[in-house]
Amino acid sequence: MSSIDPAFPILTTARLTLRAVRSDDAAPFHALMSITDTTRYSNWPDLPSLDDIAKTIERMSGTFAAGTGCCWIIEDRRTADLVGSIRLNWIDREWKRGGIGYELHPTYWRQGVATEALRAVVACSHGAFDLNRLEAWTLPGNGASDRVLEKAGFRFEGVRRENAWFKGAFHDFRAFARLRGDALEG
């Protein structure tokens, strides 16, 4: 097994900085997660409390040190505004795989920002983390997120029927994955 750099991987792209989660991210992240459009197609609760978000931020900030994941805040490089977050929600080092999740402020939708952030995390995951397989899921109806995954080389693998219970109902998951050798879309 390859060794992993103990320093948190700060990622930069043409427009974005992906940095470690900090405790002072709680308020802006709460503002993002309080937007109904942000949580509509996710297992995040609608209108979470600031206290719940602060606890989530604390958990997110500890995943890298624990070796169980890696969570980034996505910032606009020009303004340093919080744009969203992207995560390796889990890492299975023995099987060399991980699961990705993300959310983005609606102001930044349809501009290629999510794809740009995801491609940076994909490169880090296959490179620095030495993961071969990356997995993600979307809810039916979230075609925009499906497209983001496809542009980052993820392939649709099928529907996991009634895979989870949240927001008072069972939900199907549209399963996507990419392997280290899969090409990015155009």
Side-chain angles (χ1 to χ4, degrees):
M1 182 158 156
S2 67
S3 64
I4 295 184
D5 186 339
F8 185 90
I10 297 170
L11 310 176
T12 57
T13 69
R15 299 179 288 176
L16 307 171
T17 299
L18 282 64
R19 61 156 176 85
V21 177
R22 303 183 306 239
S23 60
D24 65 345
D25 292 321
F29 194 65
H30 178 256
L32 169 66
M33 300 311 287
S34 295
I35 300 169
T36 306
D37 284 343
T38 303
T39 60
R40 175 179 300 143
Y41 291 111
S42 75
N43 60 332
W44 285 94
D46 294 327
L47 303 174
S49 71
L50 180 56
D51 186 53
D52 287 341
I53 290 295
K55 289 174 186 172
T56 298
I57 289 287
E58 186 177 333
R59 276 192 310 275
M60 288 168 61
S61 67
T63 60
F64 179 75
T68 58
C70 191
C71 301
W72 292 268
I73 290 296
I74 306 168
E75 285 184 342
D76 182 311
R77 281 183 68 181
R78 194 174 38 79
T79 65
D81 290 341
L82 187 145
V83 170
S85 75
I86 188 165
R87 299 165 307 283
L88 280 167
N89 287 316
W90 55 271
I91 295 175
D92 181 334
R93 295 199 189 282
E94 182 180 354
W95 287 17
K96 295 184 179 270
R97 63 191 185 115
I100 289 187
Y102 50 86
E103 44 281 323
L104 193 67
H105 194 287
T107 301
Y108 292 88
W109 291 358
R110 292 180 278 290
Q111 298 174 38
V113 172
T115 301
E116 189 173 324
L118 181 56
R119 285 179 172 176
V121 170
V122 163
C124 179
S125 299
H126 290 317
F129 290 117
D130 193 32
L131 302 178
N132 181 60
R133 180 179 170 87
L134 298 174
E135 300 174 5
W137 57 266
T138 65
L139 293 179
N142 192 356
S145 195
D146 292 352
R147 191 76 187 116
V148 166
L149 291 166
E150 290 165 350
K151 287 179 181 178
F154 285 75
R155 296 182 189 172
F156 176 67
E157 293 188 328
V159 175
R160 297 174 69 184
R161 298 177 309 132
E162 296 187 359
N163 192 62
W165 173 268
F166 53 88
K167 296 183 182 179
F170 285 106
H171 295 274
D172 293 347
F173 281 8
R174 292 176 47 77
F176 290 81
R178 71 159 284 131
L179 304 178
R180 183 189 321 263
D182 289 345
L184 298 174
E185 184 181 286

